[in-house]
Amino acid sequence: MSEPAARNFFPNREAPVGIRTFLVLAVLLFVAGQVAAEVPASNTLVKAGRLVDPRTGTVISPAAVLIENGKIKEVGPASQMQTHAAGDVKTIDVGSATLLPGLIDSHTHLFLDIIVPPELEQQRHSNGLFAPGMLLAVIESPSKRVLMGAQAAREDLESGITTVRNLGHSGIDGDTELRDAINAGRVVGPRILASGRKLITRSDYVQNLNPALADAILEQEFLLIDGTDRARQAVRQNEFQNVDVIKVAADENLTVPELGAVIEEAHRKHLKVAVHAVDKTSIQTSIDAGADSIEHGNEATDAQLKQMHDKGIFFDFTPTSYGDFFTKIFDGTIAMSLKLRPERRGSDERTRQRYNDLAQQLLKGAEFPDASDESRDRVYDSLVQRVMKSGVKFAAGSDMGWFYPGKTRGEASISRFPTLHKAGMPSLDVIRAITTNAAEMLGWQDKVGAVEPGKFADLVAVAGDPIADITELERVRFVMKNGEVIKNEDGAR
Ligand SMILES: [Zn+2]
C-alpha cells in the first residue's frame, strides 16, 4: 500500500528516500495501532461494601463498578458485576467502604493563597481586608503562581475533588495552562473548567489600588467591562484563550445590557456564564440578563428565587465563611493582640445572637435588611432552607482561596461542604450539590458527577456512611480519576 501512495504524492519522480522511509514507518505505526485496538481493553473492577447513587438516593450493597479504558462500563451488585467482568480484569476491593462519584468543587480559586494580613496592616491601610492577597499579580510572578496552583490542584484531587470549576484570579492564563498540563498528563490534578480572567467593572478592586498603577495591575487578573462593546470584547479575549466558562463579577455598576452582551456572546460559543452576585441588585441584574448560575447569592429574596427557578438559573452555594472559619484562619496566621482576640470571640458570639433573630424573621418572610453586613451563619441557615423550599436548581463550591493553617487546600475546600448540612440541607442533597447537580450546572452531566455507564471513572470512597454522617466527606480514603488510582489509604487491592 505504501509504494503507490508515495508515487501519488510525487507523480513525476520517485519520492526521496527519507520521505519514503517515513511513509513506510507511518503505515507500519498505523497498522500497529489497529492491532493494539483489537487487543481486549484492560478492565478494572472496583468492589465496595456500598455504593450511593446521589441521583436517586439508592444504595447498592455490596456493589461493584466495571471500568474499561477510563470510563464506567457497568454498575451493579458485586456478584453480578463479577460475572460480567470476563477476561483480564484487575480487581480493586475497597472493603466495607462506601463508593461515591468523584466530587466536584464548582467554585474555587486554585491560584489564590490569601494570608490574612497582620492586624496593624488591616487597621492602617485602606486596601480592604483581603485585597493584597487577592491581587497576587502585584507581588508574585506568573511562573510562581502556576506552580502554587498545581500544588493546590493536586491537594484537591487527593481529597476526592476530581473536577473543579476555577472561577478567576489565575493571572492571565494560569488556569487554562494548568488544565492543559493536567490533561496532557504532565501534572497530577482534577479535571479543570477554566474561566481565564474574570470580567469586572471599574469598582471594588480598582479602588484599593494606587490609581497611577491600577490598570497595569488589573490587566494581569481581570478584563474590564465598560459598555456592551467592551463586554463582548472581553468574552472574545477569553474565548481566544480557549476557556471553558465565563466568570463575571456583578455589582451595582454592572448594567443589564452589559451583562446581557456578555451572556449572548458567550452562549454563541456554547460557554456558560457564572455570575458572582451577592447583593439584591446584582442578583436581579443576573436574573434579568439570563445568567446560567448565580454564585454566592447571599441576599436572594424569595421572589428572586422564584424567578431563578422559572428561568432555570442555578444557585451556587459558597458556604465559605460558615462557622468559625475565619477566626480559625486568624488564629493560625496572625499574632492577635490581647485586645483583638477577645473582640473576635465576642463578635462571633454577638453576630450569632443577632443573626439568630434575623434568621427567624427571614424565615417568616421578612425582607433581607439592606446591608453590607457580612451574612452570618443563621442568615445562611435561612438562605439554605429557602433555596431548598423554592425548588431552584442548586450546587455548591468552596470558594477556597485562603491559606488554612494545618489543612491542605483539598482539606480546607472539602471542610466547607458539611456546613451546608448544619445549615439545614439533607445529607443526600449536600452530596448532590457536589456531584450530579454540579455536573449539570457545569454542562458536564454526560461526563462526570455520577457512577453511571459512559461517564469517566472518577470515584471516591469513604469508610462510613456519608448519609448518616456527612463529615465522612472530609475523610476520603480512596480516589480514582479516569480509572487510575490516585489515593488508596487502606491499600485495597
Ligand atoms: Zn469566588
Side-chain angles (χ1 to χ4, degrees):
M1 285 292 288
S2 67
E3 287 302 302
R7 287 208 183 96
N8 287 342
F9 275 114
F10 304 95
N12 299 324
R13 59 192 162 95
E14 280 289 320
V17 174
I19 290 178
R20 287 173 65 186
T21 313
F22 167 78
L23 287 169
V24 170
L25 270 175
V27 168
L28 282 175
L29 283 171
F30 176 74
V31 171
Q34 292 247 305
V35 171
E38 281 159 20
V39 168
S42 69
N43 289 353
T44 306
L45 188 69
V46 179
K47 294 165 76 173
R50 299 153 41 85
L51 181 145
V52 175
D53 174 6
R55 199 185 301 285
T56 59
T58 48
V59 175
I60 304 174
S61 176
V65 184
L66 187 57
I67 294 157
E68 188 178 271
N69 293 332
K71 288 202 170 164
I72 295 165
K73 196 179 176 200
E74 217 178 334
V75 187
S79 53
Q80 196 181 317
M81 289 303 99
Q82 189 76 59
T83 58
H84 291 195
D88 184 19
V89 177
K90 180 184 169 204
T91 300
I92 299 169
D93 191 342
V94 297
S96 59
T98 304
L99 278 179
L100 292 165
L103 309 178
I104 301 169
D105 187 347
S106 52
H107 186 134
T108 194
H109 302 288
L110 294 173
F111 298 80
L112 283 180
D113 187 35
I114 302 169
I115 296 172
V116 180
E119 209 174 327
L120 271 179
E121 191 176 328
Q122 290 176 39
Q123 285 166 9
R124 293 177 66 86
H125 288 174
S126 57
N127 52 4
L129 190 51
F130 302 117
M134 287 179 83
L135 283 164
L136 274 185
V138 177
I139 49 166
E140 292 189 349
S141 77
S143 318
K144 184 174 177 188
R145 286 184 72 186
V146 83
L147 289 168
M148 186 189 79
Q151 180 186 1
R154 177 173 48 75
E155 290 177 354
D156 266 4
L157 180 61
E158 285 168 352
S159 283
I161 299 169
T162 51
T163 300
V164 303
R165 190 172 59 154
N166 195 71
L167 294 177
H169 303 279
S170 311
I172 291 176
D173 58 357
D175 59 355
T176 45
E177 289 299 330
L178 180 59
R179 172 200 64 194
D180 292 350
I182 289 170
N183 290 347
R186 289 194 288 273
V187 181
V188 175
R191 302 177 195 285
I192 294 180
L193 281 96
S195 75
R197 278 179 284 179
K198 174 156 126 186
L199 278 53
I200 64 167
T201 67
R202 195 170 276 281
S203 59
D204 296 5
Y205 298 108
V206 189
Q207 286 154 10
N208 294 325
L209 293 169
N210 173 354
L213 305 172
D215 278 22
I217 295 167
L218 288 166
E219 280 166 14
Q220 302 301 312
E221 293 283 324
F222 308 105
L223 290 165
L224 284 176
I225 299 176
D226 193 358
T228 54
D229 284 352
R230 190 91 185 259
R232 285 179 199 280
Q233 190 195 347
V235 176
R236 287 177 192 152
Q237 269 178 276
N238 269 342
E239 281 167 0
F240 179 70
Q241 196 183 303
N242 203 18
V243 301
D244 304 290
V245 56
I246 299 292
K247 169 74 181 295
V248 187
D251 57 22
E252 291 186 350
N253 291 339
L254 184 71
T255 65
V256 174
E258 283 171 332
L259 184 55
V262 167
I263 293 168
E264 194 187 85
E265 195 61 37
H267 284 182
R268 264 163 29 116
K269 290 283 163 65
H270 308 290
L271 295 174
K272 290 184 185 287
V273 180
V275 185
H276 159 114
V278 174
D279 62 89
K280 223 171 6 180
T281 311
S282 310
I283 292 169
Q284 197 59 48
T285 303
S286 312
I287 295 170
D288 293 344
D292 294 296
S293 66
I294 289 179
E295 310 296 310
H296 318 298
N298 295 54
E299 294 185 16
T301 64
D302 287 340
Q304 288 178 324
L305 291 174
K306 182 168 185 320
Q307 293 171 48
M308 286 176 68
H309 173 264
D310 294 346
K311 285 190 153 193
I313 299 173
F314 262 96
F315 190 104
D316 198 18
F317 287 106
T318 55
T320 320
S321 62
Y322 199 96
D324 49 5
F325 181 77
F326 282 115
T327 302
K328 275 198 183 130
I329 285 185
F330 273 45
D331 256 338
T333 57
I334 71 172
M336 284 188 275
S337 67
L338 290 173
K339 186 165 159 287
L340 179 63
R341 190 175 296 275
E343 262 177 27
R344 277 286 331 159
R345 296 263 154 76
S347 103
D348 275 355
E349 191 43 47
R350 275 194 306 281
T351 43
R352 208 159 283 154
Q353 293 290 340
R354 185 149 51 95
Y355 284 108
N356 256 331
D357 302 341
L358 183 56
Q360 288 308 319
Q361 292 166 27
L362 282 169
L363 281 171
K364 284 182 198 144
E367 287 269 288
F368 196 97
D370 204 16
S372 56
D373 266 311
E374 247 183 67
S375 69
R376 297 289 302 176
D377 294 4
R378 298 292 81 78
V379 170
Y380 212 79
D381 295 352
S382 93
L383 176 69
V384 169
Q385 289 159 35
R386 287 186 299 113
V387 169
M388 299 302 291
K389 218 164 70 183
S390 73
V392 72
K393 296 196 277 189
F394 62 93
S398 66
D399 200 11
M400 195 51 57
W402 282 273
F403 169 64
Y404 193 129
K407 284 192 194 292
T408 68
R409 173 56 63 95
E411 288 165 353
S413 300
I414 295 265
S415 77
R416 299 299 82 213
F417 300 127
T419 62
L420 287 167
H421 180 62
K422 272 195 193 153
M425 190 186 284
S427 296
L428 184 59
D429 284 316
V430 175
I431 296 172
R432 285 176 175 145
I434 52 173
T435 56
T436 44
N437 292 10
E440 188 192 336
M441 182 172 75
L442 270 46
W444 276 20
Q445 61 273 20
D446 297 337
K447 299 180 183 175
V448 297
V451 188
E452 292 167 354
K455 303 231 165 31
F456 288 122
D458 294 355
L459 303 170
V460 299
V462 295
D465 175 4
I467 305 293
D469 177 8
I470 194 68
T471 67
E472 282 289 344
L473 294 180
E474 296 183 60
R475 297 177 294 278
V476 165
R477 318 276 309 161
F478 171 85
V479 182
M480 173 178 268
K481 182 194 159 202
N482 218 28
E484 272 175 50
V485 176
I486 303 295
K487 168 173 164 176
N488 191 355
E489 288 211 329
D490 300 315
R493 279 165 308 197

